[in-house]
Structure formats: structure tokens, C-alpha cells
Amino acid sequence: MKIDILTLFPNLFQGFLTESIIKRAIEKNLVEINLIDFREFSPLHNKQVDDTPYGGGAGMLLRPEPIFLCLDKIKTEDSYIILLTPDGEVFKQQRAVDLSKKKHLIFICGRYEGFDERIKTLVDLELSIGDFILTGGEVPAMAFVDAITRLIPGVINEESLKDESFNNNLLDYPNYTKPSEYRGLKVPDVLLSGNHAKIKEYRKTEQEKKTKQKRPDLWDGDK
């Protein structure tokens, strides 16, 4: 998979791309991630990318030209263009699964007060990280790229992905490791029993209980 991220602040991504699973996925050529400073595509002599809104109002909007010109150069028939905006669909696991199957993703990170509305005519999807406002799209882009990249075959052991939260609209079951008792807190006996049928039953029950308690919206949505 190829991922292009359009941003005015590419240096924000350096640690993200050079550590842990993302770094290994890049080194194994499972994903190619490019940072593109779309300021370089501004046709203005001072490389300005924002301007005041017509009709008045606070803040500055991103002008259309740099985004249009940048996409003219990098998009292909395989490109799927995503605008990161509070107006968009709230990102969920199933959307990560769907996007992990694309060949070429392009994320457009906003800044300032927002986008010239004409930029939205270029995109296939508008995505939001949640019902709150950030200073720009870089943090959501990192979150989305992380969630998508880990689903690419070969990035993470497939077995590790099967029982994760949200895969069956349930939260993950509680997990424990050694020691079996610590400061009076014991691992449930069933997990020490070696009875895999009982363990599977216990985990499913715990998933349902946990989801009902912590995320009733997920539980009700599954009905």
C-alpha cells in the first residue's frame, strides 16, 4: 500500500514513522508513506496557502490552489482521497478494515479555520477523529494511518488481530500474564485450567459484560 499525507508540518510525523510497528512495516516494504508539504504547490510568490473567508468571519481558510495542484501531480486511478475534518464520518474499526484494502490512500491534513469548500469536490471520503476540535489534521492522520497499517497482511501476526476490540462489535476480553497472583490480585482460575472450551466461553462472557458496562452504545447497536 502507498499512503501520501498532505501536510504543512511534515516534521510532526518523524517520530511516528521511525519507531515501532510503522517503522518495521516501512522497512519490510509492506507500506510506503510519503509526507508532502503542499505549501510547495502554492502558486503565490510567498507560498501563501491560506486567506480570509469571503463574507467575513474569524480565522483563515486553506486556499484551493495548493491542494488542487498537489493532487494533480500525485493522484492516480488507484488513489482514494480522504479529507480530515470535524465534518466527516467518525472513524471506526470497520472503516480501518475497508481502507486497509485500498492500493493508494491520500490524506489531506487541514489547518487554521478550515478548507475552502471547493477542496471537498476532490475527495472520496471525509473523516473525523471525534466530536472535538484539534489544531490540525496531523494527529488524526497518524491515528488513522496506524489503525490502517497494522491491518495490512504481514504487518502484525494475523492471530493477534482476530480477538481485538470492535472486531465483533464487542470490547476485548480481560487479559492477564505472570505472576498468577500479585498483591492479593489473582488471575481467574479458568485461565489456569487448561480447558480451552471453558476459556473461550469465559472470554466471550467477559466481552459481553464489559461491552454492556463500558460501551452500551456498541452493545445496543449490535441488537
Short mmCIF file of all heavy atoms in Angstrom, two decimals, residues 144-181:
data_model
loop_
_atom_site.label_atom_id
_atom_site.label_comp_id
_atom_site.label_asym_id
_atom_site.label_seq_id
_atom_site.Cartn_x
_atom_site.Cartn_y
_atom_site.Cartn_z
N PHE A 144 -5.15 7.40 12.12
CA PHE A 144 -5.78 6.63 11.05
C PHE A 144 -4.75 5.75 10.34
O PHE A 144 -5.04 4.58 10.05
CB PHE A 144 -6.45 7.57 10.04
CG PHE A 144 -7.52 8.45 10.62
CD1 PHE A 144 -7.89 9.62 10.00
CD2 PHE A 144 -8.17 8.10 11.80
CE1 PHE A 144 -8.89 10.43 10.52
CE2 PHE A 144 -9.16 8.91 12.34
CZ PHE A 144 -9.52 10.08 11.69
N VAL A 145 -3.59 6.30 10.05
CA VAL A 145 -2.55 5.52 9.35
C VAL A 145 -2.10 4.35 10.21
O VAL A 145 -1.87 3.25 9.72
CB VAL A 145 -1.37 6.43 8.97
CG1 VAL A 145 -0.18 5.60 8.47
CG2 VAL A 145 -1.80 7.43 7.90
N ASP A 146 -1.98 4.57 11.52
CA ASP A 146 -1.61 3.49 12.42
C ASP A 146 -2.66 2.38 12.40
O ASP A 146 -2.35 1.19 12.26
CB ASP A 146 -1.44 4.03 13.83
CG ASP A 146 -0.93 3.00 14.81
OD1 ASP A 146 -1.72 2.15 15.25
OD2 ASP A 146 0.26 3.03 15.14
N ALA A 147 -3.93 2.76 12.54
CA ALA A 147 -5.02 1.78 12.57
C ALA A 147 -5.11 1.00 11.26
O ALA A 147 -5.40 -0.20 11.27
CB ALA A 147 -6.34 2.49 12.85
N ILE A 148 -4.85 1.66 10.15
CA ILE A 148 -4.94 1.01 8.84
C ILE A 148 -3.72 0.14 8.56
O ILE A 148 -3.84 -1.01 8.12
CB ILE A 148 -5.10 2.08 7.74
CG1 ILE A 148 -6.45 2.79 7.88
CG2 ILE A 148 -4.95 1.47 6.35
CD1 ILE A 148 -6.54 4.09 7.13
N THR A 149 -2.53 0.67 8.83
CA THR A 149 -1.30 -0.04 8.51
C THR A 149 -1.19 -1.36 9.24
O THR A 149 -0.76 -2.37 8.68
CB THR A 149 -0.08 0.84 8.84
OG1 THR A 149 -0.13 2.04 8.04
CG2 THR A 149 1.22 0.11 8.54
N ARG A 150 -1.60 -1.41 10.50
CA ARG A 150 -1.48 -2.64 11.28
C ARG A 150 -2.37 -3.75 10.73
O ARG A 150 -2.18 -4.92 11.07
CB ARG A 150 -1.78 -2.37 12.75
CG ARG A 150 -3.19 -1.94 13.03
CD ARG A 150 -3.37 -1.40 14.45
NE ARG A 150 -2.96 -2.36 15.45
CZ ARG A 150 -3.72 -3.37 15.86
NH1 ARG A 150 -4.91 -3.52 15.34
NH2 ARG A 150 -3.28 -4.20 16.78
N LEU A 151 -3.34 -3.41 9.86
CA LEU A 151 -4.22 -4.40 9.27
C LEU A 151 -3.70 -4.95 7.94
O LEU A 151 -4.26 -5.90 7.40
CB LEU A 151 -5.62 -3.80 9.05
CG LEU A 151 -6.36 -3.37 10.32
CD1 LEU A 151 -7.66 -2.66 9.95
CD2 LEU A 151 -6.65 -4.55 11.22
N ILE A 152 -2.66 -4.34 7.41
CA ILE A 152 -2.08 -4.82 6.16
C ILE A 152 -1.43 -6.19 6.40
O ILE A 152 -0.69 -6.36 7.37
CB ILE A 152 -1.03 -3.82 5.63
CG1 ILE A 152 -1.70 -2.48 5.30
CG2 ILE A 152 -0.31 -4.37 4.41
CD1 ILE A 152 -0.72 -1.38 4.97
N PRO A 153 -1.73 -7.18 5.58
CA PRO A 153 -1.15 -8.52 5.78
C PRO A 153 0.37 -8.48 5.93
O PRO A 153 1.07 -7.85 5.13
CB PRO A 153 -1.57 -9.27 4.51
CG PRO A 153 -2.83 -8.60 4.08
CD PRO A 153 -2.64 -7.14 4.42
N GLY A 154 0.85 -9.13 6.98
CA GLY A 154 2.28 -9.20 7.22
C GLY A 154 2.79 -8.20 8.22
O GLY A 154 3.91 -8.35 8.74
N VAL A 155 2.01 -7.16 8.51
CA VAL A 155 2.48 -6.14 9.46
C VAL A 155 2.40 -6.68 10.89
O VAL A 155 3.33 -6.50 11.68
CB VAL A 155 1.67 -4.84 9.32
CG1 VAL A 155 2.04 -3.84 10.41
CG2 VAL A 155 1.90 -4.22 7.94
N ILE A 156 1.28 -7.31 11.24
CA ILE A 156 1.08 -7.90 12.56
C ILE A 156 0.62 -9.34 12.36
O ILE A 156 -0.08 -9.65 11.39
CB ILE A 156 0.04 -7.10 13.37
CG1 ILE A 156 0.61 -5.75 13.79
CG2 ILE A 156 -0.41 -7.86 14.60
CD1 ILE A 156 -0.34 -4.91 14.60
N ASN A 157 1.03 -10.21 13.27
CA ASN A 157 0.58 -11.59 13.23
C ASN A 157 -0.94 -11.65 13.13
O ASN A 157 -1.65 -11.04 13.93
CB ASN A 157 1.06 -12.31 14.49
CG ASN A 157 0.71 -13.79 14.47
OD1 ASN A 157 -0.44 -14.15 14.63
ND2 ASN A 157 1.71 -14.62 14.28
N GLU A 158 -1.44 -12.38 12.14
CA GLU A 158 -2.88 -12.42 11.90
C GLU A 158 -3.67 -12.91 13.11
O GLU A 158 -4.78 -12.45 13.37
CB GLU A 158 -3.17 -13.33 10.70
CG GLU A 158 -4.61 -13.30 10.25
CD GLU A 158 -4.85 -14.12 9.00
OE1 GLU A 158 -3.86 -14.48 8.34
OE2 GLU A 158 -6.02 -14.39 8.69
N GLU A 159 -3.09 -13.83 13.86
CA GLU A 159 -3.77 -14.37 15.03
C GLU A 159 -4.03 -13.28 16.06
O GLU A 159 -5.02 -13.30 16.78
CB GLU A 159 -2.92 -15.49 15.65
CG GLU A 159 -3.63 -16.29 16.73
CD GLU A 159 -4.78 -17.13 16.20
OE1 GLU A 159 -4.76 -17.49 15.01
OE2 GLU A 159 -5.71 -17.40 16.98
N SER A 160 -3.11 -12.30 16.14
CA SER A 160 -3.24 -11.23 17.12
C SER A 160 -4.41 -10.30 16.81
O SER A 160 -4.90 -9.60 17.68
CB SER A 160 -1.94 -10.41 17.16
OG SER A 160 -0.85 -11.20 17.54
N LEU A 161 -4.84 -10.29 15.55
CA LEU A 161 -5.91 -9.38 15.14
C LEU A 161 -7.30 -9.95 15.35
O LEU A 161 -8.28 -9.20 15.36
CB LEU A 161 -5.74 -9.02 13.65
CG LEU A 161 -4.44 -8.32 13.25
CD1 LEU A 161 -4.39 -8.17 11.74
CD2 LEU A 161 -4.30 -6.97 13.93
N LYS A 162 -7.41 -11.26 15.52
CA LYS A 162 -8.72 -11.90 15.50
C LYS A 162 -9.63 -11.49 16.65
O LYS A 162 -10.83 -11.30 16.48
CB LYS A 162 -8.55 -13.43 15.49
CG LYS A 162 -8.05 -13.97 14.16
CD LYS A 162 -7.97 -15.48 14.20
CE LYS A 162 -7.49 -16.04 12.86
NZ LYS A 162 -7.37 -17.52 12.89
N ASP A 163 -9.08 -11.39 17.85
CA ASP A 163 -9.92 -11.17 19.03
C ASP A 163 -9.83 -9.75 19.58
O ASP A 163 -10.12 -9.50 20.74
CB ASP A 163 -9.54 -12.17 20.14
CG ASP A 163 -9.83 -13.59 19.73
OD1 ASP A 163 -10.88 -13.82 19.11
OD2 ASP A 163 -9.02 -14.48 20.03
N GLU A 164 -9.43 -8.81 18.74
CA GLU A 164 -9.30 -7.44 19.22
C GLU A 164 -10.66 -6.79 19.43
O GLU A 164 -11.68 -7.22 18.90
CB GLU A 164 -8.49 -6.61 18.22
CG GLU A 164 -7.04 -7.02 18.14
CD GLU A 164 -6.26 -6.11 17.24
OE1 GLU A 164 -6.78 -5.72 16.18
OE2 GLU A 164 -5.13 -5.78 17.60
N SER A 165 -10.63 -5.71 20.21
CA SER A 165 -11.85 -4.92 20.40
C SER A 165 -12.44 -4.49 19.06
O SER A 165 -11.70 -4.19 18.12
CB SER A 165 -11.56 -3.68 21.24
OG SER A 165 -11.17 -4.04 22.54
N PHE A 166 -13.77 -4.47 18.99
CA PHE A 166 -14.55 -3.97 17.87
C PHE A 166 -14.67 -4.94 16.69
O PHE A 166 -15.47 -4.71 15.80
CB PHE A 166 -14.01 -2.62 17.34
CG PHE A 166 -13.80 -1.61 18.42
CD1 PHE A 166 -12.53 -1.14 18.71
CD2 PHE A 166 -14.86 -1.14 19.18
CE1 PHE A 166 -12.32 -0.22 19.71
CE2 PHE A 166 -14.66 -0.21 20.18
CZ PHE A 166 -13.39 0.25 20.46
N ASN A 167 -13.88 -6.03 16.67
CA ASN A 167 -13.98 -6.94 15.54
C ASN A 167 -15.35 -7.59 15.45
O ASN A 167 -15.82 -7.93 14.38
CB ASN A 167 -12.90 -8.03 15.63
CG ASN A 167 -11.57 -7.53 15.10
OD1 ASN A 167 -11.48 -6.42 14.58
ND2 ASN A 167 -10.54 -8.33 15.22
N ASN A 168 -15.99 -7.83 16.59
CA ASN A 168 -17.34 -8.40 16.60
C ASN A 168 -18.32 -7.47 17.32
O ASN A 168 -19.28 -7.91 17.90
CB ASN A 168 -17.33 -9.79 17.26
CG ASN A 168 -16.68 -9.75 18.63
OD1 ASN A 168 -16.28 -8.68 19.11
ND2 ASN A 168 -16.59 -10.90 19.27
N ASN A 169 -17.99 -6.17 17.28
CA ASN A 169 -18.79 -5.14 17.94
C ASN A 169 -18.77 -5.29 19.46
O ASN A 169 -19.66 -4.79 20.15
CB ASN A 169 -20.24 -5.13 17.44
CG ASN A 169 -20.74 -3.71 17.18
OD1 ASN A 169 -19.98 -2.86 16.74
ND2 ASN A 169 -22.00 -3.46 17.46
N LEU A 170 -17.76 -5.97 19.97
CA LEU A 170 -17.56 -6.12 21.40
C LEU A 170 -16.17 -5.63 21.78
O LEU A 170 -15.25 -5.66 20.97
CB LEU A 170 -17.70 -7.59 21.82
CG LEU A 170 -19.06 -8.26 21.60
CD1 LEU A 170 -18.95 -9.75 21.91
CD2 LEU A 170 -20.14 -7.61 22.45
N LEU A 171 -16.02 -5.18 23.02
CA LEU A 171 -14.70 -4.84 23.52
C LEU A 171 -13.91 -6.12 23.78
O LEU A 171 -14.46 -7.21 23.88
CB LEU A 171 -14.82 -4.02 24.81
CG LEU A 171 -15.54 -2.68 24.70
CD1 LEU A 171 -15.61 -2.00 26.05
CD2 LEU A 171 -14.86 -1.77 23.68
N ASP A 172 -12.61 -5.97 23.89
CA ASP A 172 -11.74 -7.13 24.12
C ASP A 172 -11.98 -7.69 25.52
O ASP A 172 -12.36 -6.96 26.45
CB ASP A 172 -10.28 -6.70 23.97
CG ASP A 172 -9.35 -7.89 23.76
OD1 ASP A 172 -9.85 -9.03 23.65
OD2 ASP A 172 -8.13 -7.66 23.71
N TYR A 173 -11.76 -8.97 25.68
CA TYR A 173 -11.88 -9.59 27.00
C TYR A 173 -10.67 -9.22 27.87
O TYR A 173 -9.61 -8.84 27.34
CB TYR A 173 -11.98 -11.12 26.88
CG TYR A 173 -10.96 -11.76 25.97
CD1 TYR A 173 -9.63 -11.92 26.36
CD2 TYR A 173 -11.32 -12.20 24.70
CE1 TYR A 173 -8.70 -12.49 25.53
CE2 TYR A 173 -10.39 -12.78 23.86
CZ TYR A 173 -9.09 -12.94 24.28
OH TYR A 173 -8.15 -13.50 23.44
N PRO A 174 -10.77 -9.32 29.19
CA PRO A 174 -9.63 -9.01 30.07
C PRO A 174 -8.51 -10.03 29.89
O PRO A 174 -8.79 -11.23 29.72
CB PRO A 174 -10.23 -9.06 31.47
CG PRO A 174 -11.47 -9.86 31.34
CD PRO A 174 -11.98 -9.66 29.97
N ASN A 175 -7.28 -9.55 29.92
CA ASN A 175 -6.12 -10.41 29.75
C ASN A 175 -5.20 -10.33 30.96
O ASN A 175 -5.13 -9.29 31.64
CB ASN A 175 -5.34 -10.00 28.49
CG ASN A 175 -6.03 -10.44 27.22
OD1 ASN A 175 -6.02 -11.61 26.87
ND2 ASN A 175 -6.65 -9.49 26.52
N TYR A 176 -4.48 -11.40 31.21
CA TYR A 176 -3.56 -11.49 32.35
C TYR A 176 -2.28 -12.18 31.91
O TYR A 176 -2.27 -12.94 30.96
CB TYR A 176 -4.19 -12.31 33.49
CG TYR A 176 -5.50 -11.77 34.01
CD1 TYR A 176 -6.71 -12.09 33.39
CD2 TYR A 176 -5.53 -10.96 35.14
CE1 TYR A 176 -7.91 -11.60 33.86
CE2 TYR A 176 -6.74 -10.47 35.63
CZ TYR A 176 -7.92 -10.79 34.99
OH TYR A 176 -9.11 -10.30 35.47
N THR A 177 -1.20 -11.89 32.66
CA THR A 177 0.07 -12.59 32.44
C THR A 177 0.68 -12.92 33.79
O THR A 177 0.06 -12.71 34.84
CB THR A 177 1.02 -11.76 31.57
OG1 THR A 177 2.16 -12.55 31.23
CG2 THR A 177 1.47 -10.48 32.27
N LYS A 178 1.87 -13.44 33.82
CA LYS A 178 2.55 -13.82 35.07
C LYS A 178 2.90 -12.57 35.90
O LYS A 178 3.16 -11.53 35.32
CB LYS A 178 3.81 -14.62 34.75
CG LYS A 178 3.52 -15.93 34.03
CD LYS A 178 4.81 -16.63 33.69
CE LYS A 178 4.53 -17.96 32.99
NZ LYS A 178 3.91 -17.78 31.67
N PRO A 179 2.89 -12.67 37.22
CA PRO A 179 2.62 -13.85 38.04
C PRO A 179 1.10 -14.11 38.17
O PRO A 179 0.30 -13.20 37.93
CB PRO A 179 3.22 -13.48 39.38
CG PRO A 179 3.08 -12.00 39.45
CD PRO A 179 3.30 -11.52 38.05
N SER A 180 0.74 -15.30 38.57
CA SER A 180 -0.67 -15.65 38.68
C SER A 180 -1.35 -14.96 39.86
O SER A 180 -2.57 -14.86 39.91
CB SER A 180 -0.83 -17.17 38.82
OG SER A 180 -0.18 -17.64 39.98
N GLU A 181 -0.55 -14.46 40.82
CA GLU A 181 -1.08 -13.68 41.92
C GLU A 181 -0.10 -12.56 42.24
O GLU A 181 1.12 -12.79 42.34
CB GLU A 181 -1.32 -14.54 43.17
CG GLU A 181 -1.92 -13.74 44.34
CD GLU A 181 -2.25 -14.62 45.54
OE1 GLU A 181 -2.19 -15.85 45.41
OE2 GLU A 181 -2.56 -14.04 46.61
#
